[in-house]
Structure formats: structure tokens, C-alpha cells
Amino acid sequence: MHIRTFRAASLQEALEDIRRQMGDGASVLHTRQVREGWMGWLGKTSVEVTAGIRDEQDVGRNRFGEIGSEFTASRRGYPLELQDLRELLALAGVEDPIADRWIEATYALGVALPTGVEPGQWIEVIRETVARGIRIAGPIQCPAGERRIVALVGPTGVGKTTTIAKLAAGFRLEARRRVALLTIDTFRIAAVQQLRAYAEIMDLPMEVVQNPEEMGGALERLGEADLVLVDTAGRSPRSDSRIEQLHGMLLAARPDETHLVLSATSSREATQSILDGFSAVRPTAAILTKLDETPQLAGMLGALEGRALPLSYVTTGQQVPDDIEVADAETLVRNLLATHILTIPMGISGCRHVA
Ligand SMILES: Nc1nc2c(ncn2[C@@H]2O[C@H](COP(=O)(O)OP(=O)(O)O)[C@@H](O)[C@H]2O)c(=O)[nH]1
Ligand SMILES: [Mg+2]
């Protein structure tokens, strides 16, 4: 695919440039508003549009054999639209083996649909396919009158403490549960103070536990609570001894659920190493933070694919308590694919990708 980026004062102008220079067959891959001038100040706003057109040699690339005539435009191989989507997945950072697997599964699902797939609809089929591969845990289970202990673990700075504050607020204010906080992150005074500040604002009981021996007494003092949220110190996934120490604390706390907190900004390799390192503490779910900082979820979803770790929550900003949502596969997939595939309502011909 031949890809070019255009900048113009308006979307309409950019589309006209694209049509003039690349022809009617071009597809819009990505649009964004840009502000020119020093650091974006006092500059005028313009629109940047990335468009692609398939090269001659792309047409009819065939890796999977002949397909039926119901697919327009393709000679041999997958429908052209699906081939375009394969390239867009690559642009979105999805690695080849995963993209191939998704496209293959999408094709299988599409051809099995009794209604067939209308032009422009393959994007919906691929979203459905990818969403099926993501496991969802649902929210923390906290029935009234039963005490639940839920620990958050993960590397430093991913948002464990902030997420605890958001969860505490949600369960206290919306679900009207009695919530308590407990921290075993005692290495840094600031870490205890950070949690204590939230406990004070929300008027929640809080315990600080230094070693496994203190755990029983602390939990007993929080005996009234329906939900005890346990904050932990960040651990490097490569430090076996630190993870072991965390494991010892968690064995004493006996959490009903342990959520591994992952930042959406981490690469696939980093995420994989975190998933491996923290498997020793047997997480029951994963929380994906900082979705607001990156539209590139491909690496993250690729790392989670095939793991038996379902997603519970996603967080979308620093604001406590608002920026948290129960994870939902469709929304995640929409995020994954939407950044590079946008519909332009007035459309240039050949723009078949639907957001
Ligand atoms: N942009 C963004 N920042 C977040 C989010 N969650 C947490 N943070 C920020 O990440 C930083 C580290 O958060 P903290 O909760 O202290 O991380 P911890 O070390 O894992 O406990 C803080 O500046 C938070 O405000 C999020 O969803 N989006
Ligand atoms: Mg913390």
C-alpha cells in the first residue's frame, strides 16, 4: 500500500487534494487536527489526513486460495477490504502472526454468516473476532454483608494507588458498601501518605501492615468492612525475591481477588515480562490503566491474547473517582482499530472503512 499524509485548512480541502493526487481509489486511514505555530500557541488549526492506495502488486495477493464471487474487487485471495484491514492492523502496531490470526478468524467468521458480508462491513466482523479473543472478568464481586479482600499488584507507577482510590469511591458512594483500605506499601513514607490522604477524604478506615505477622490483627480491626482494598508496593517483574516477599504478604491477607495492574503505555515485551513475573502471585484479573495516554492498544491486547487473565477495569485518566470503567471488549477493540480507520461522512470514493 502506498501511503501519504496531507495537510489542509479543512477536511474537505484535504480530501480534494487526496483525490487529485492519489485518485478515486484512495482510502482515508487516519485524520487528526493539528495546531501550527510555536508549541501549538497562536497557530491556526489545520487537518492532517493520511491516505493510502493499494499498489499494483498488492492487488490479488493470494495467500489463502480462491474465494467466492460474492466478494467484489478481489481476484484471488481474501476480499480486498480484508487485505486492507490486514495492513491497517500492521499500522496500528499489531504483530504479523497476531494480525494473520485475526484476519484468518475474521474471514472464517465472515463467510459463515448467513447474510454474507456487505462491502464496508468487514471492519465490524474483525472487531467481533478480536473482541471474542479478549476475556472479560466483570467488576469486583462485593455482595453486601460478605467481606471481600481485593489486592492490586503490579510494577511501580502503573496507577495501583490511584485505582484503589477510584474503586474505593465507587464502592462507597455508588454501591454504598463499607470500604476499608490496607496498605503493605510501607517502604516509602510518601506511598502510605498518598493512600492515607484518600482514606481521610473519603472517611475510610485504613491499616498499615509491615509484615505478614501483622496482617491477621489488621484485618480483624477492619472486620466491619464489606470490601478491603489492599495496596501493594510496585515490584519489578524481574525481581524474584521481591515478588516472593509480596507473595508472602498476600498469603497472609488471603485476598478473594488479586488484580494485576498493567499500563496501556507498556510495550508488548514489557507486558509479557510483567505477566510472567507476577504469575507467581496468581492474579485473578488484570486492570488496564492510562488508556487516555495511548491509542495504541495493539501491543497490550496482543500480550493478553491467549492468557487466562481476564480484564476487570480500565482507567482513562488521573481524575479520582471518575476515570475508571468496567472493562468491555467491544470498547477496547473500538479503541484498537478506530485510530487508524475513520469514516469521513462525505467520503472520497474508495473510502470504505467504517469507524
Ligand atoms: N494518564 C493517566 N495517569 C494515571 C492513570 N492512573 C494513574 N495515573 C497516574 O500515574 C501516576 C502513578 O500513579 P500511582 O497510583 O501512584 O501508581 P502506583 O505506583 O502503581 O501506585 C500518578 O501520577 C497517577 O495520577 C490513568 O488512568 N491515566
Ligand atoms: Mg502506589
Side-chain angles (χ1 to χ4, degrees), residues 154-163 166 185 188 194 198 231-232 234 261 288-293 314-319 323:
T156 306
V158 288
K160 295 180 295 301
T161 306
T162 313
T163 305
K166 292 172 183 172
D185 185 3
R188 291 175 308 129
Q194 186 190 359
Y198 287 122
D231 196 9
T232 63
V261 183
L288 203 48
T289 59
K290 309 196 184 184
L291 247 69
D292 53 306
E293 286 192 2
V314 297
T315 78
T316 53
Q318 294 181 295
Q319 221 51 41
D323 296 338

Side-chain angles (χ1 to χ4, degrees), residues 246-282:
L246 173 65
H247 193 206
M249 282 295 231
L250 291 178
L251 282 177
R254 304 190 349 133
D256 298 286
E257 300 178 22
T258 301
H259 295 239
L260 175 58
V261 183
L262 302 165
S263 165
T265 59
S266 302
S267 67
R268 192 167 90 92
E269 292 73 29
T271 306
Q272 252 160 354
S273 134
I274 294 163
L275 288 166
D276 291 339
F278 280 88
S279 63
V281 301
R282 301 184 187 283

